[in-house]
Amino acid sequence: MSHSLLHVRLRIFSGFVLLGVFLASCGNSNAGGIKAGPGVNTSAKTITLGILTPLSGPVAAPIGIPITKGIETYFKAVNASGGIDGYTVNLTEKDSQYDPQVQVSDYEQIHNQVLMLAESLGTAPTHAIVSLSAQDHMLVTAATLDSYLARQQYMVLVGTPYRLQVENAFDYIVNKLGVKNPKVGIIYQDDSYGQDGLTGYKEAVACYGLDDVGQATYELTDTSFTAQVAQMKKAGAQYVFLSAIPTAAGPIVGTGYALGYNPRWILQSPAYANGLLQVQGLNQLLEHEAWVVGQGASWGDTSQPGMAEMLQNIQKYDPSQQPDGYFEFGYAEAKVTYAILKKAADNGDLTRAGLLNAFNSLQNVDIGGLYPTLHYGSSANQRVPSRDNTIYAIDPTVPGNLKSLSGDFTGTCAAASQF
Amino acid sequence: MAYFLQLVFAGLAQGCIYALVALGFTIIYKASGVINFAQGEFLLVGAFLASVGTFEWQLNFFVAVAIALLATILLGIAFERFALRRMIGRPVFSIIMVTIGLDILLRTGVVMTGRSNERSPATPYSIASGINYGGVHFGANQLWTIVVTLLICGALYVFFRYTRYGLAMRATALDQEAALALGITVQGVYALAWGIAAAVATIAGIFLAINVTTFDSTLGGIALFAFPAIILGGLDSIPGAVVGGIIIGLIQLLTQGYESHFPSILGTGFDTITPYLIMLIVLLVRPYGLFGTRKVERV
């Protein structure tokens, strides 16, 4: 063999080696009939998912930590029963501090190491990574019910969007309780989360003929809520909707009482947390004056198979967990993430494109009554997972502290609302 | 009218909290020329210890507050003695970085206890207690905030004007070398300033925590609103800190209460930037503030 021919063969061989290395580095390996993307290790049989959630700051204890524990518990149970087609699910968790800038930084750190995000908590933080996740073709199961995010191709929401929650709350007042032309107001967080509540509020005002007497905002940095509450009091609002977080909802209700103003406070689902009941004086106010609009089976209702399964898994993997609606939400989210992964694995395609195909073809996801059956599809309207809600009273005598007043229902406006 | 008066009253109370925070900044700055960026976290530590004392150690409210005061005063003095004193002669920037370090240390310390999320504040009265008059609710916490702020101002006035240590602090603030020549222990003055600032911050933290019903490790963030107050009043003026704090509180609450009447002009959240707008205007028009010392340079 001539020296030049050997040289050519070596170059061809090197080219193939480089091509192989390149393909492997892209993560698109194909082992055991499974196409694998980033975060999937076909030799170790692991799938790594990302979690961006506040583990410190005002949202951590009431919301971020219990939701994350719900997700962890579910996947511990999945792994213990053999994983997803033999793949063990690992979670890479980052503390977002409920800060969009930190969220982006966290995302940049892990986006090449994970197949999808099993959790992105918060409306504003999730907005911050919408375009990044779209660029990376990465699905994100988001702990937010923002209606804008529900329309996005790579966002997986679990539950009825905030906008429709507001509409259902006022449907309850007008159609179930028969209150005609009530005087209503809203206090909302001055960000994308609050704006979604405001959108629903405006739609409800038009749809149900409500007498809108006041709209007020607050900032996350506010330490006094007197101005907002005094505005509602002056306007005579009988029902005040709070698109807020617990650390604002508590002082708002407390300020109302201090000012001698006791309307019916309606708390958007993220505005309530069990921790508020630990605050002296506030617990009685919440019991008597507040409702929560949300979703989900009552804690301990084992007639729902999803709840029975969750309680069993808590006993096995997190026995110190107290009844908490956010834990339940996290667990429900994890079930939807599992449904996507399982379908993708069944299709033999654990790449990001494979996950998107699996998500778009999910149709209905039954999570055992933990939440009502969720619907998914490829168009914006089909991606609204549900439109129903339950109005709860706060009652510390029942597990989870929330007692259904209305049962599960879909209001007329929420049913007709177009996304 | 009742709405307006309600806002004025709430603004006064909020302003008093800003004033207490600003007082801490000013006392340290006046005595040692240092801007203490950890001032906000002294609020947090004070409120946190009072809450832990009341709810976990089951102490009487006033005993818990006394322990919180003692602990923060000792913290302030220790920081001055073991960290800042070693920085004498170093660039101002380095000293500022050390106080920022203390800020992070204090907040992280509270977080690491694992008890900092959504705490109930220690309080001797119910959130609903107060007096109603003319359609205005004068909340107990707001009333006590105003009364205690006035008492602290009065006490500080007497201290600086009539006591030996107060005179020593004033002398040190005016001219350190002359004070040393007169036999004043300047290091003692610095320690005293840090102790007083920590105590005032603790009291502000306790009132603030009651005001917000629940608090967490972000409580100290309010210190950012004290900056406009000290710039407005004058960085080295104790009366300026009080007046500046009250003005900022009043303007903020009134803006918050009326901004929704002008949504097309002010949008939402305008009250958040109002203090900083005032700060910018003051810096442009009267950089030494309402009561600050105007520096004259001979060239």
Side-chain angles (χ1 to χ4, degrees), chain A residues 160-177:
Chain A
T160 301
Y162 298 134
R163 174 173 145 186
L164 304 187
Q165 283 189 357
V166 189
E167 294 171 23
N168 283 332
F170 287 110
D171 185 277
Y172 176 72
I173 292 162
V174 173
N175 289 336
K176 307 281 189 301
L177 300 183

Side-chain angles (χ1 to χ4, degrees), chain A residues 57-58 61-62 188 190 215 217 219 221-224 226-228 230-231 234 251 254 257-259 276 278-280 282 285, chain B residues 3 6-7 10 14 55 117-118 120 127-128 137 142 208 211-214 216 218 222 253 256-257 260-261 268-269 271-272:
Chain A
Y188 61 98
D190 195 10
Q215 300 169 11
T217 62
E219 305 294 323
T221 51
D222 280 358
T223 54
S224 169
T226 303
Q228 294 91 336
Q231 186 186 334
K234 183 185 166 204
Y257 190 73
L259 296 182
L276 291 176
Q278 313 293 322
V279 181
Q280 277 189 331
L282 189 61
L285 291 181
Chain B
Y3 178 64
Q6 187 70 68
L7 292 177
Q14 185 74 6
F55 297 110
N117 286 312
E118 263 196 297
S120 290
I127 54 168
H137 179 81
Q142 291 165 319
L208 177 63
N211 222 24
V212 294
T213 316
T214 60
D216 58 35
T218 61
I222 194 175
L253 260 287
Q256 209 173 52
S260 61
H261 293 65
T268 58
D271 58 289
T272 311

Side-chain angles (χ1 to χ4, degrees), chain A residues 52 94-97 99-111 113 125 128-129 132:
Chain A
L52 306 182
K94 288 277 177 187
D95 180 7
S96 71
Q97 300 167 31
D99 180 334
Q101 287 177 340
V102 179
Q103 179 95 349
V104 170
S105 163
D106 286 348
Y107 179 89
E108 295 289 1
Q109 287 176 45
I110 65 167
H111 73 121
Q113 304 156 19
I129 60 163
L132 292 173

Side-chain angles (χ1 to χ4, degrees), chain A residues 85-385:
Chain A
D85 290 358
Y87 279 78
T88 302
V89 177
N90 296 327
L91 302 172
T92 297
E93 295 176 7
K94 288 277 177 187
D95 180 7
S96 71
Q97 300 167 31
Y98 197 58
D99 180 334
Q101 287 177 340
V102 179
Q103 179 95 349
V104 170
S105 163
D106 286 348
Y107 179 89
E108 295 289 1
Q109 287 176 45
I110 65 167
H111 73 121
N112 286 329
Q113 304 156 19
V114 298
L115 181 58
M116 68 176 280
L117 294 186
E119 169 80 328
S120 168
L121 193 148
T123 302
T126 305
H127 270 265
I129 60 163
V130 167
S131 55
L132 292 173
S133 61
Q135 274 172 27
D136 292 337
H137 307 290
M138 175 137 72
L139 280 180
V140 177
T141 305
T144 162
L145 296 170
D146 178 64
S147 58
Y148 168 82
L149 292 173
R151 280 171 250 155
Q152 305 309 306
Q153 192 181 12
Y154 289 95
M155 293 289 142
V156 182
L157 271 62
V158 178
T160 301
Y162 298 134
R163 174 173 145 186
L164 304 187
Q165 283 189 357
V166 189
E167 294 171 23
N168 283 332
F170 287 110
D171 185 277
Y172 176 72
I173 292 162
V174 173
N175 289 336
K176 307 281 189 301
L177 300 183
V179 182
K180 299 296 171 204
N181 305 110
K183 286 186 170 183
V184 299
I186 182 170
I187 300 176
Y188 61 98
Q189 193 163 294
D190 195 10
D191 63 7
S192 42
Y193 160 53
Q195 283 296 331
D196 204 35
L198 182 67
T199 303
Y201 175 81
K202 286 177 176 170
E203 285 179 354
V205 166
C207 186
Y208 295 112
L210 309 172
D211 184 3
D212 168 29
V213 295
Q215 300 169 11
T217 62
Y218 75 88
E219 305 294 323
L220 280 169
T221 51
D222 280 358
T223 54
S224 169
F225 297 90
T226 303
Q228 294 91 336
V229 175
Q231 186 186 334
M232 293 297 146
K233 181 185 178 187
K234 183 185 166 204
Q238 300 163 272
Y239 298 90
V240 181
F241 199 91
L242 300 183
S243 286
I245 59 172
T247 44
I252 288 171
V253 174
T255 303
Y257 190 73
L259 296 182
Y261 172 56
N262 303 302
R264 173 62 64 184
W265 302 101
I266 309 166
L267 277 58
Q268 187 113 50
S269 55
Y272 173 75
N274 284 336
L276 291 176
L277 298 179
Q278 313 293 322
V279 181
Q280 277 189 331
L282 189 61
N283 44 3
Q284 290 101 331
L285 291 181
L286 290 169
E287 278 176 64
H288 294 113
E289 298 181 3
W291 293 335
V292 180
V293 51
Q295 256 176 319
S298 295
W299 192 282
D301 178 7
T302 49
S303 66
Q304 303 292 349
M307 175 59 73
E309 174 209 288
M310 186 182 85
L311 294 176
Q312 278 174 7
N313 285 331
I314 287 174
Q315 279 301 313
K316 279 187 198 162
Y317 304 110
D318 192 5
S320 63
Q321 177 62 45
Q322 296 298 307
D324 190 311
Y326 289 109
F327 180 98
E328 183 181 338
F329 181 80
Y331 194 93
E333 268 191 305
K335 277 174 117 33
V336 175
T337 302
Y338 172 84
I340 297 167
L341 292 170
K342 180 78 175 95
K343 182 142 196 173
D346 290 347
N347 293 341
D349 191 352
L350 280 174
T351 63
R352 288 179 179 168
L355 259 61
L356 181 66
N357 285 337
F359 174 52
N360 285 340
S361 61
L362 270 184
Q363 303 293 332
N364 297 331
V365 180
D366 179 0
I367 54 175
L370 208 54
Y371 270 56
T373 297
L374 301 158
H375 313 281
Y376 298 101
S378 51
S379 76
N381 253 326
Q382 287 171 339
R383 269 195 292 274
V384 178

